[in-house]
Amino acid sequence: MKRSRLFVALVAVVASTASARAQEVLQLIPDDALGFAVVTRLGATNEKFTALAQKLKLPLPGSPLDMLKGALGVEKGLSEKGSLAVAAFSKGESDEPSPLFFVPVSNYQDFIKQFEPHDPAAAIATLKLKDGKELVAAKRGNYALMAAVADRAL
């Protein structure tokens, strides 16, 4: 019962934070995406979610955004005022869709340098996450587009 309340509350919080800022990221998502999800105003949504969890007396070891940044090793370059998005694309022969992440950045170079890029000046840089997994990233406007190395063509 608590989980269903949390889900409904989360949907309400995310929906209530929709804004014109989401338009920028929506314009970047290609028309051939199978679907997408957007979290507008990343920092504000994080604060609302944390406040909601406290009101519902749900155990939360920290803010979701801080936990995500810690797990990924992000300290610089992320824009918490921007909108985060993920879009799913068909791989063709595979049933499993490929995700493409649209991460709002205040400084793309500062953001990707945290992931030890092979060539930071490359149009599509190969990055290494904290857990050793590799991703590719490219700059589009105020966003770092990130995908698995196998999905480089996205």
Side-chain angles (χ1 to χ4, degrees):
M1 183 68 170
K2 280 187 178 185
R3 285 186 182 190
S4 62
R5 274 194 237 149
L6 176 62
F7 178 74
V8 170
L10 178 61
V11 169
V13 168
V14 171
S16 72
T17 61
S19 69
R21 287 183 179 245
Q23 290 301 316
E24 182 183 4
V25 73
L26 290 175
Q27 291 174 354
L28 294 175
I29 298 173
D31 292 335
D32 62 340
L34 298 173
F36 62 88
V38 178
V39 177
T40 60
R41 300 182 318 178
L42 192 56
T45 301
N46 179 64
E47 289 172 13
K48 289 180 180 184
F49 182 80
T50 302
L52 176 64
Q54 289 173 347
K55 284 182 183 179
L56 295 174
K57 299 184 185 336
L58 297 173
L60 205 58
S63 82
L65 184 55
D66 288 341
M67 289 187 292
L68 179 64
K69 287 166 57 175
L72 295 175
V74 174
E75 294 179 16
K76 297 184 281 185
L78 179 70
S79 173
E80 294 185 15
K81 293 180 181 179
S83 298
L84 176 87
V86 60
F89 294 89
S90 174
K91 283 188 181 180
E93 71 281 347
S94 174
D95 291 336
E96 182 101 9
S98 298
L100 177 62
F101 295 89
F102 298 78
V103 181
V105 293
S106 56
N107 185 308
Y108 177 76
Q109 287 299 321
D110 284 348
F111 181 75
I112 68 166
K113 282 181 185 173
Q114 301 168 100
F115 301 106
E116 303 172 16
H118 295 202
D119 179 5
I124 300 176
T126 302
L127 313 177
K128 186 186 288 187
L129 295 178
K130 202 173 179 178
D131 65 2
K133 292 181 184 173
E134 288 192 337
L135 295 176
V136 291
K139 183 179 184 336
R140 294 291 180 272
N142 295 320
Y143 288 85
L145 278 58
M146 302 177 79
V149 173
D151 299 324
R152 182 184 180 101
L154 290 176

